[in-house]
Amino acid sequence: MQVNRQKIRRSLQNWQQVRSWARLIREAEILWKVDQKELKRLGALELSQLMKEIPPAYRRRINLWLVKFSLRTRFY
């Protein structure tokens, strides 16, 4: 029973982390789409930094969230 709880807890934590990364990417892309030159620059910087920080093990699941958010950024 304890092992099952740990698996569920770990799965939930992974899900929450993936969702958080996807939301950060979404926010950066929204900034990148704004017409103001400086905000676009900041959005591009933020997005490139996020892409470098995301653990490779989460990329596939993050891509699924990004598809749901209808964003352009994907990990290939």
Side-chain angles (χ1 to χ4, degrees), residues 2 5 19 34 45 53 55 70-71 75:
Q2 185 67 20
R5 282 186 183 174
R19 183 185 63 175
V34 174
L45 284 172
E53 292 178 9
S70 299
L71 298 178
F75 292 103

Side-chain angles (χ1 to χ4, degrees), residues 1 8 26 36 45-46 52 58 65 67-68 73:
M1 191 71 158
I8 291 171
R26 179 177 179 228
Q36 300 298 319
L45 284 172
E46 183 70 21
K52 293 175 189 172
Y58 290 150
W65 277 96
V67 167
K68 289 179 184 180
T73 303

